Amino acid sequence: MERVVLSMQDPDQGVHMRSQRLLVTVVPHAVTGNDTMEWLIHKYCISEEEALRLGTLLLRHGYLYPLQDPGSLVLRPDETFYRFQTPYFWMSTLWPAAELDYAIYLAKKNIRKHGALGDLEKEHHGQLHRKMNHMWDLVVMQAREQLRAAKQRRKGDRLVIACQEQTYWLVNRPPPGVPNVLEQGPKRGSCTARQVLMNADFYKREIECCRRALGRTRVKSSVSLEAYLKFSNQHRPHDPIMSGCLPSNPWITDDDTYWAINAPRVAEPTQLRVQRWAFSFQELLEDPVGRAHFMDFLRIEFSAENLSFWEACEQLRHGGQAQVPGLVDAVYQQFLAPGAAHWVNIDSQTMERTLEGLQRPHRYVLDAAQLHIYMLMKKDSYPRFLKSDMYKTLLVEAVIPPETKRRVFPFMWKPRRSSPSPALLPASASGECVAAPGGPGGGPGEA
Protein backbone atom coordinates (compact mmCIF):
# COMPACT_ATOMS: atom_id res chain seq x y z
CA MET A 1 0.00 0.00 0.00
CA GLU A 2 2.86 2.36 0.68
CA ARG A 3 4.10 1.96 -2.90
CA VAL A 4 0.60 2.94 -4.06
CA VAL A 5 0.68 6.03 -1.83
CA LEU A 6 4.12 7.04 -3.11
CA SER A 7 2.90 6.68 -6.72
CA MET A 8 -0.12 8.82 -5.92
CA GLN A 9 2.14 11.60 -4.60
CA ASP A 10 4.33 11.66 -7.71
CA PRO A 11 4.44 15.31 -8.92
CA ASP A 12 4.23 14.32 -12.61
CA GLN A 13 2.05 11.20 -12.77
CA GLY A 14 0.31 11.23 -9.40
CA VAL A 15 -3.03 12.56 -8.23
CA HIS A 16 -3.68 16.22 -8.96
CA MET A 17 -3.11 18.28 -5.80
CA ARG A 18 -4.38 21.75 -5.12
CA SER A 19 -4.75 24.28 -2.32
CA GLN A 20 -8.16 24.15 -0.61
CA ARG A 21 -9.80 26.99 1.29
CA LEU A 22 -11.76 25.92 4.36
CA LEU A 23 -13.61 29.03 5.54
CA VAL A 24 -10.66 31.42 5.97
CA THR A 25 -7.94 28.73 6.18
CA VAL A 26 -5.93 27.63 3.12
CA VAL A 27 -4.71 24.02 3.21
CA PRO A 28 -2.07 23.13 0.57
CA HIS A 29 -1.59 19.80 -1.25
CA ALA A 30 -5.16 18.56 -0.94
CA VAL A 31 -6.82 15.99 -3.24
CA THR A 32 -10.49 15.29 -3.87
CA GLY A 33 -12.25 11.96 -3.66
CA ASN A 34 -13.16 12.10 -7.38
CA ASP A 35 -9.54 12.67 -8.44
CA THR A 36 -8.34 9.84 -6.20
CA MET A 37 -10.87 7.38 -7.67
CA GLU A 38 -10.10 8.36 -11.27
CA TRP A 39 -6.36 7.95 -10.69
CA LEU A 40 -6.83 4.47 -9.19
CA ILE A 41 -9.10 3.41 -12.08
CA HIS A 42 -6.68 4.57 -14.80
CA LYS A 43 -3.54 3.40 -12.99
CA TYR A 44 -4.64 -0.15 -12.12
CA CYS A 45 -7.44 -0.70 -14.69
CA ILE A 46 -10.05 -1.53 -12.06
CA SER A 47 -13.76 -0.79 -11.72
CA GLU A 48 -15.25 2.09 -9.74
CA GLU A 49 -16.33 -0.26 -6.95
CA GLU A 50 -12.83 -1.69 -6.61
CA ALA A 51 -11.29 1.79 -6.67
CA LEU A 52 -13.68 2.89 -3.93
CA ARG A 53 -12.75 -0.13 -1.80
CA LEU A 54 -9.03 0.46 -2.33
CA GLY A 55 -9.34 4.14 -1.43
CA THR A 56 -11.31 3.31 1.71
CA LEU A 57 -8.65 0.76 2.62
CA LEU A 58 -5.96 3.46 2.35
CA LEU A 59 -7.98 5.72 4.67
CA ARG A 60 -8.62 2.97 7.24
CA HIS A 61 -4.89 2.23 7.39
CA GLY A 62 -4.13 5.91 7.92
CA TYR A 63 -2.40 6.77 4.62
CA LEU A 64 -5.07 9.35 3.74
CA TYR A 65 -7.18 11.51 6.02
CA PRO A 66 -10.20 13.79 5.39
CA LEU A 67 -10.00 17.50 6.13
CA GLN A 68 -13.67 18.27 6.70
CA ASP A 69 -14.82 15.19 8.68
CA PRO A 70 -11.71 13.67 10.33
CA GLY A 71 -13.76 11.07 12.22
CA SER A 72 -14.99 9.34 9.04
CA LEU A 73 -12.31 7.20 7.40
CA VAL A 74 -14.29 6.46 4.23
CA LEU A 75 -13.49 7.62 0.68
CA ARG A 76 -16.36 9.62 -0.83
CA PRO A 77 -16.54 9.91 -4.66
CA ASP A 78 -17.25 13.65 -4.60
CA GLU A 79 -15.45 16.93 -4.00
CA THR A 80 -14.54 16.05 -0.42
CA PHE A 81 -10.94 17.00 0.23
CA TYR A 82 -8.33 14.62 1.62
CA ARG A 83 -4.65 14.86 2.36
CA PHE A 84 -1.79 12.35 2.46
CA GLN A 85 -0.54 11.32 5.89
CA THR A 86 3.05 12.18 6.75
CA PRO A 87 5.37 9.11 6.67
CA TYR A 88 6.12 9.62 10.38
CA PHE A 89 2.64 8.20 11.17
CA TRP A 90 2.80 5.31 8.69
CA MET A 91 2.28 1.80 10.02
CA SER A 92 5.63 0.57 8.67
CA THR A 93 7.56 2.91 10.99
CA LEU A 94 6.36 0.79 13.95
CA TRP A 95 6.03 3.93 16.07
CA PRO A 96 4.70 2.61 19.40
CA ALA A 97 1.22 3.89 20.23
CA ALA A 98 1.99 4.30 23.93
CA GLU A 99 -0.59 5.09 26.58
CA LEU A 100 1.36 8.21 27.58
CA ASP A 101 1.19 9.66 24.06
CA TYR A 102 -2.54 8.91 23.87
CA ALA A 103 -3.07 10.58 27.24
CA ILE A 104 -1.18 13.71 26.09
CA TYR A 105 -3.28 13.80 22.90
CA LEU A 106 -6.57 13.57 24.84
CA ALA A 107 -5.43 16.12 27.42
CA LYS A 108 -4.43 18.54 24.65
CA LYS A 109 -7.77 18.06 22.90
CA ASN A 110 -9.63 18.50 26.20
CA ILE A 111 -7.84 21.80 26.87
CA ARG A 112 -8.41 23.04 23.32
CA LYS A 113 -12.15 22.21 23.39
CA HIS A 114 -12.65 23.29 27.02
CA GLY A 115 -13.78 19.80 28.09
CA ALA A 116 -16.18 19.21 25.17
CA LEU A 117 -14.90 15.75 24.24
CA GLY A 118 -16.92 12.96 22.71
CA ASP A 119 -18.39 10.26 24.90
CA LEU A 120 -15.76 7.67 23.96
CA GLU A 121 -12.85 10.11 24.24
CA LYS A 122 -14.19 11.37 27.58
CA GLU A 123 -14.34 7.78 28.86
CA HIS A 124 -10.77 7.09 27.70
CA HIS A 125 -9.64 10.39 29.23
CA GLY A 126 -11.08 9.40 32.59
CA GLN A 127 -9.57 5.91 32.47
CA LEU A 128 -6.12 7.23 31.63
CA HIS A 129 -6.43 9.90 34.34
CA ARG A 130 -7.08 7.22 36.96
CA LYS A 131 -4.38 4.95 35.57
CA MET A 132 -1.72 7.68 35.36
CA ASN A 133 -2.75 9.67 38.39
CA HIS A 134 0.84 9.66 39.71
CA MET A 135 2.12 11.40 36.56
CA TRP A 136 -0.90 13.33 35.32
CA ASP A 137 0.80 16.65 36.04
CA LEU A 138 3.46 15.68 33.50
CA VAL A 139 0.76 14.80 30.95
CA VAL A 140 -0.99 18.17 31.35
CA MET A 141 2.34 20.03 31.21
CA GLN A 142 3.29 18.29 27.94
CA ALA A 143 -0.14 19.01 26.47
CA ARG A 144 0.09 22.73 27.32
CA GLU A 145 3.62 22.95 25.90
CA GLN A 146 2.47 21.41 22.62
CA LEU A 147 -0.49 23.80 22.45
CA ARG A 148 1.82 26.73 23.14
CA ALA A 149 4.13 25.62 20.33
CA ALA A 150 1.16 25.14 17.97
CA LYS A 151 0.06 28.76 18.44
CA GLN A 152 3.24 29.89 16.69
CA ARG A 153 2.27 28.01 13.50
CA ARG A 154 -0.11 29.12 10.76
CA LYS A 155 -3.75 28.23 11.16
CA GLY A 156 -3.62 25.89 8.16
CA ASP A 157 -0.69 23.97 9.63
CA ARG A 158 -2.50 23.64 12.96
CA LEU A 159 -5.53 22.17 11.19
CA VAL A 160 -3.37 19.69 9.24
CA ILE A 161 -1.52 18.50 12.36
CA ALA A 162 -4.78 18.08 14.28
CA CYS A 163 -6.25 15.96 11.46
CA GLN A 164 -3.08 13.89 11.23
CA GLU A 165 -3.10 13.11 14.95
CA GLN A 166 -6.81 12.31 15.01
CA THR A 167 -6.43 9.91 12.06
CA TYR A 168 -3.47 8.20 13.69
CA TRP A 169 -5.38 7.56 16.91
CA LEU A 170 -8.49 6.45 15.03
CA VAL A 171 -6.34 3.75 13.41
CA ASN A 172 -4.54 2.71 16.62
CA ARG A 173 -7.48 3.23 19.02
CA PRO A 174 -10.58 2.46 16.91
CA PRO A 175 -14.01 3.05 18.48
CA PRO A 176 -16.21 0.07 19.42
CA GLY A 177 -17.72 -1.74 16.44
CA VAL A 178 -15.00 -0.62 14.02
CA PRO A 179 -12.64 -3.42 12.85
CA ASN A 180 -9.07 -2.95 14.01
CA VAL A 181 -6.94 -3.08 10.85
CA LEU A 182 -3.78 -3.61 12.93
CA GLU A 183 -5.13 -6.96 14.15
CA GLN A 184 -7.03 -8.34 11.15
CA GLY A 185 -4.63 -7.23 8.40
CA PRO A 186 -5.49 -5.76 4.98
CA LYS A 187 -6.60 -9.08 3.46
CA ARG A 188 -9.55 -9.67 5.75
CA GLY A 189 -12.55 -7.51 5.11
CA SER A 190 -14.29 -8.16 8.41
CA CYS A 191 -13.43 -9.62 11.77
CA THR A 192 -16.84 -11.22 12.24
CA ALA A 193 -17.09 -15.02 12.24
CA ARG A 194 -18.57 -16.86 9.29
CA GLN A 195 -22.04 -18.33 9.48
CA VAL A 196 -21.64 -22.12 9.82
CA LEU A 197 -24.35 -24.18 8.14
CA MET A 198 -25.35 -27.09 10.39
CA ASN A 199 -26.11 -29.71 7.73
CA ALA A 200 -25.24 -33.37 7.26
CA ASP A 201 -21.84 -32.60 5.73
CA PHE A 202 -20.89 -30.51 8.76
CA TYR A 203 -21.65 -33.33 11.19
CA LYS A 204 -19.82 -35.85 8.98
CA ARG A 205 -16.69 -33.67 9.12
CA GLU A 206 -17.02 -33.35 12.89
CA ILE A 207 -17.35 -37.14 13.32
CA GLU A 208 -14.34 -37.77 11.08
CA CYS A 209 -12.29 -35.22 13.03
CA CYS A 210 -13.20 -36.90 16.34
CA ARG A 211 -12.26 -40.32 14.94
CA ARG A 212 -8.85 -39.06 13.88
CA ALA A 213 -8.34 -37.55 17.33
CA LEU A 214 -9.22 -40.84 19.04
CA GLY A 215 -6.86 -42.81 16.78
CA ARG A 216 -3.93 -40.46 17.31
CA THR A 217 -0.99 -42.03 19.11
CA ARG A 218 -0.38 -40.51 22.52
CA VAL A 219 2.53 -40.75 24.92
CA LYS A 220 1.82 -41.96 28.44
CA SER A 221 2.66 -39.61 31.27
CA SER A 222 4.91 -42.24 32.84
CA VAL A 223 7.00 -42.44 29.65
CA SER A 224 7.25 -38.63 29.48
CA LEU A 225 8.30 -38.37 33.12
CA GLU A 226 10.87 -41.11 32.66
CA ALA A 227 12.38 -39.28 29.68
CA TYR A 228 12.40 -36.04 31.67
CA LEU A 229 14.20 -37.70 34.61
CA LYS A 230 16.73 -39.28 32.26
CA PHE A 231 17.45 -35.91 30.65
CA SER A 232 17.79 -34.24 34.06
CA ASN A 233 20.14 -36.90 35.42
CA GLN A 234 22.24 -36.74 32.26
CA HIS A 235 22.65 -32.96 32.30
CA ARG A 236 22.86 -32.44 36.08
CA PRO A 237 26.69 -32.82 36.34
CA HIS A 238 27.10 -30.29 33.53
CA ASP A 239 24.93 -27.59 35.14
CA PRO A 240 27.08 -24.99 36.97
CA ILE A 241 24.19 -24.04 39.27
CA MET A 242 23.20 -27.58 40.27
CA SER A 243 26.66 -29.15 40.51
CA GLY A 244 29.03 -26.22 40.92
CA CYS A 245 32.04 -25.13 38.89
CA LEU A 246 35.57 -26.46 38.84
CA PRO A 247 38.14 -25.26 39.77
CA SER A 248 36.12 -22.39 41.31
CA ASN A 249 32.98 -20.40 40.70
CA PRO A 250 33.88 -17.28 38.64
CA TRP A 251 30.60 -15.56 39.57
CA ILE A 252 31.50 -15.24 43.25
CA THR A 253 35.32 -15.30 43.11
CA ASP A 254 38.04 -13.46 41.24
CA ASP A 255 39.35 -16.66 39.65
CA ASP A 256 38.53 -16.80 35.92
CA THR A 257 40.12 -20.19 35.27
CA TYR A 258 36.69 -21.65 34.55
CA TRP A 259 36.28 -19.35 31.54
CA ALA A 260 39.80 -20.11 30.30
CA ILE A 261 39.50 -23.91 30.32
CA ASN A 262 36.01 -23.74 28.75
CA ALA A 263 36.88 -21.30 25.97
CA PRO A 264 35.52 -22.12 22.48
CA ARG A 265 38.96 -23.27 21.32
CA VAL A 266 41.38 -24.87 23.79
CA ALA A 267 44.26 -27.31 23.38
CA GLU A 268 42.90 -29.85 25.90
CA PRO A 269 39.15 -29.97 26.64
CA THR A 270 37.76 -30.88 30.05
CA GLN A 271 36.28 -34.27 30.77
CA LEU A 272 32.77 -32.88 31.19
CA ARG A 273 33.07 -31.21 27.80
CA VAL A 274 34.12 -34.45 26.09
CA GLN A 275 31.26 -36.29 27.79
CA ARG A 276 28.76 -33.82 26.36
CA TRP A 277 29.75 -34.82 22.83
CA ALA A 278 28.07 -38.17 23.45
CA PHE A 279 24.72 -36.56 24.34
CA SER A 280 23.75 -35.88 20.72
CA PHE A 281 25.25 -35.23 17.33
CA GLN A 282 24.16 -31.58 17.52
CA GLU A 283 26.16 -31.13 20.76
CA LEU A 284 29.26 -32.38 18.96
CA LEU A 285 28.80 -30.04 15.97
CA GLU A 286 28.09 -26.99 18.13
CA ASP A 287 31.42 -27.37 19.98
CA PRO A 288 34.35 -26.12 17.84
CA VAL A 289 36.79 -28.46 19.61
CA GLY A 290 34.51 -31.46 19.19
CA ARG A 291 33.95 -30.67 15.53
CA ALA A 292 37.71 -30.46 14.97
CA HIS A 293 38.27 -33.90 16.52
CA PHE A 294 35.34 -35.30 14.53
CA MET A 295 36.96 -33.90 11.37
CA ASP A 296 40.20 -35.74 12.25
CA PHE A 297 38.23 -38.97 12.66
CA LEU A 298 36.49 -38.48 9.29
CA ARG A 299 39.86 -37.95 7.60
CA ILE A 300 40.94 -41.36 8.88
CA GLU A 301 37.77 -42.84 7.36
CA PHE A 302 38.23 -40.85 4.11
CA SER A 303 34.88 -39.06 4.50
CA ALA A 304 35.96 -35.59 5.67
CA GLU A 305 34.20 -34.02 2.65
CA ASN A 306 30.82 -34.63 4.36
CA LEU A 307 31.61 -32.36 7.30
CA SER A 308 33.31 -29.83 5.00
CA PHE A 309 30.16 -29.69 2.86
CA TRP A 310 27.99 -29.21 5.98
CA GLU A 311 30.22 -26.35 7.19
CA ALA A 312 30.11 -24.70 3.73
CA CYS A 313 26.29 -24.86 3.78
CA GLU A 314 26.24 -23.26 7.25
CA GLN A 315 28.49 -20.47 5.99
CA LEU A 316 26.12 -19.94 3.06
CA ARG A 317 23.06 -19.83 5.30
CA HIS A 318 24.48 -17.30 7.75
CA GLY A 319 26.64 -15.25 5.36
CA GLY A 320 25.99 -11.89 3.75
CA GLN A 321 23.32 -11.52 1.09
CA ALA A 322 25.74 -10.07 -1.45
CA GLN A 323 27.98 -13.15 -1.15
CA VAL A 324 25.21 -15.73 -1.71
CA PRO A 325 25.60 -16.24 -5.50
CA GLY A 326 29.38 -16.63 -5.25
CA LEU A 327 29.16 -19.01 -2.28
CA VAL A 328 26.51 -21.16 -4.00
CA ASP A 329 28.68 -21.49 -7.11
CA ALA A 330 31.79 -22.28 -5.02
CA VAL A 331 30.01 -24.98 -3.01
CA TYR A 332 28.58 -26.54 -6.17
CA GLN A 333 31.94 -26.61 -7.96
CA GLN A 334 33.74 -28.04 -4.92
CA PHE A 335 31.24 -30.67 -3.72
CA LEU A 336 28.40 -31.33 -6.21
CA ALA A 337 29.67 -30.80 -9.76
CA PRO A 338 30.74 -33.85 -11.81
CA GLY A 339 34.42 -34.50 -11.12
CA ALA A 340 34.49 -32.20 -8.08
CA ALA A 341 37.58 -32.29 -5.90
CA HIS A 342 35.58 -33.17 -2.75
CA TRP A 343 32.48 -34.78 -4.23
CA VAL A 344 29.77 -35.82 -1.76
CA ASN A 345 27.38 -38.69 -2.34
CA ILE A 346 23.69 -37.70 -2.29
CA ASP A 347 20.70 -39.46 -3.80
CA SER A 348 19.38 -38.62 -7.26
CA GLN A 349 16.11 -37.09 -6.06
CA THR A 350 17.88 -34.64 -3.75
CA MET A 351 20.36 -33.81 -6.52
CA GLU A 352 17.53 -32.99 -8.95
CA ARG A 353 15.85 -30.64 -6.47
CA THR A 354 19.19 -28.98 -5.73
CA LEU A 355 20.00 -28.47 -9.41
CA GLU A 356 16.56 -26.91 -9.98
CA GLY A 357 17.16 -24.48 -7.14
CA LEU A 358 20.61 -23.52 -8.42
CA GLN A 359 18.96 -21.80 -11.39
CA ARG A 360 17.80 -19.10 -8.93
CA PRO A 361 20.34 -19.28 -6.08
CA HIS A 362 19.43 -18.22 -2.56
CA ARG A 363 20.82 -18.94 0.90
CA TYR A 364 18.57 -21.98 1.49
CA VAL A 365 19.02 -23.64 -1.88
CA LEU A 366 21.29 -26.39 -0.47
CA ASP A 367 19.15 -27.25 2.57
CA ALA A 368 17.95 -30.59 1.16
CA ALA A 369 21.49 -31.73 0.32
CA GLN A 370 22.79 -30.51 3.68
CA LEU A 371 20.07 -32.42 5.55
CA HIS A 372 20.91 -35.59 3.59
CA ILE A 373 24.61 -35.36 4.53
CA TYR A 374 23.73 -34.45 8.13
CA MET A 375 21.57 -37.56 8.57
CA LEU A 376 24.26 -39.68 6.90
CA MET A 377 26.89 -38.51 9.41
CA LYS A 378 24.48 -38.80 12.34
CA LYS A 379 23.47 -42.41 11.60
CA ASP A 380 26.78 -43.73 10.29
CA SER A 381 29.88 -41.73 11.22
CA TYR A 382 28.81 -40.37 14.62
CA PRO A 383 28.15 -43.78 16.31
CA ARG A 384 31.50 -45.08 15.03
CA PHE A 385 33.23 -41.98 16.39
CA LEU A 386 31.83 -42.62 19.89
CA LYS A 387 33.06 -46.23 19.75
CA SER A 388 36.47 -45.36 18.32
CA ASP A 389 39.76 -45.41 20.20
CA MET A 390 40.19 -41.72 19.41
CA TYR A 391 37.14 -40.71 21.48
CA LYS A 392 38.03 -43.11 24.30
CA THR A 393 41.54 -41.66 24.42
CA LEU A 394 40.14 -38.11 24.52
CA LEU A 395 37.88 -39.11 27.37
CA VAL A 396 40.76 -40.61 29.37
CA GLU A 397 43.23 -37.79 28.71
CA ALA A 398 40.72 -34.99 29.22
CA VAL A 399 41.47 -32.35 31.84
CA ILE A 400 39.85 -32.74 35.26
CA PRO A 401 40.21 -29.34 36.99
CA PRO A 402 41.23 -29.60 40.68
CA GLU A 403 38.87 -28.06 43.17
CA THR A 404 40.10 -24.85 44.75
CA LYS A 405 38.69 -24.11 48.17
CA ARG A 406 37.85 -20.46 48.45
CA ARG A 407 35.71 -18.46 50.76
CA VAL A 408 32.22 -18.03 49.42
CA PHE A 409 32.12 -14.43 50.60
CA PRO A 410 35.71 -13.12 50.58
CA PHE A 411 34.65 -9.68 51.78
CA MET A 412 33.76 -11.21 55.19
CA TRP A 413 37.41 -12.00 55.94
CA LYS A 414 39.31 -9.42 58.02
CA PRO A 415 43.07 -9.44 58.61
CA ARG A 416 44.11 -10.14 62.17
CA ARG A 417 45.96 -7.45 64.09
CA SER A 418 49.10 -7.99 66.12
CA SER A 419 47.60 -6.37 69.22
CA PRO A 420 44.03 -6.12 70.59
CA SER A 421 43.92 -2.37 70.07
CA PRO A 422 45.88 -0.04 67.81
CA ALA A 423 46.28 2.29 70.80
CA LEU A 424 48.41 -0.32 72.64
CA LEU A 425 52.11 -0.72 72.05
CA PRO A 426 53.76 -4.15 71.69
CA ALA A 427 54.74 -5.91 74.90
CA SER A 428 58.13 -5.04 76.40
CA ALA A 429 60.94 -7.48 76.86
CA SER A 430 59.95 -8.07 80.53
CA GLY A 431 56.44 -9.09 79.49
CA GLU A 432 54.77 -5.86 80.65
CA CYS A 433 52.49 -3.84 78.39
CA VAL A 434 52.77 -0.06 78.57
CA ALA A 435 49.91 2.16 77.47
CA ALA A 436 50.50 4.80 74.84
CA PRO A 437 50.91 8.38 76.00
CA GLY A 438 47.81 10.42 76.07
CA GLY A 439 45.58 7.59 77.17
CA PRO A 440 42.21 7.98 78.80
CA GLY A 441 43.80 8.92 82.10
CA GLY A 442 45.65 11.85 80.55
CA GLY A 443 49.09 10.68 81.80
CA PRO A 444 51.34 7.67 81.44
CA GLY A 445 49.48 4.44 81.93
CA GLU A 446 50.55 1.50 84.07
CA ALA A 447 50.53 -2.15 83.11
Side-chain angles (χ1 to χ4, degrees), residues 238-240 244-251 255-263:
H238 304 267
D239 192 334
C245 305
L246 291 178
S248 60
N249 193 334
W251 284 278
D255 188 8
D256 59 350
T257 309
Y258 178 80
W259 303 124
I261 64 178
N262 289 281

Side-chain angles (χ1 to χ4, degrees), residues 308-320:
S308 299
F309 174 72
W310 182 87
E311 291 177 341
C313 293
E314 287 294 303
Q315 183 182 1
L316 170 64
R317 178 181 296 180
H318 302 289

Side-chain angles (χ1 to χ4, degrees), residues 44-63:
Y44 298 105
C45 300
I46 56 179
S47 61
E48 293 184 2
E49 182 180 359
E50 292 173 334
L52 188 61
R53 286 189 59 185
L54 179 57
T56 302
L57 195 64
L58 293 175
L59 264 82
R60 287 181 177 176
H61 283 77
Y63 294 105

Side-chain angles (χ1 to χ4, degrees), residues 1 53-54 57-58 60-61 63 91 180-190:
M1 286 193 293
R53 286 189 59 185
L54 179 57
L57 195 64
L58 293 175
R60 287 181 177 176
H61 283 77
Y63 294 105
M91 296 169 58
N180 191 347
V181 295
L182 301 179
E183 294 180 357
Q184 69 178 24
K187 294 183 179 179
R188 293 176 54 186
S190 176

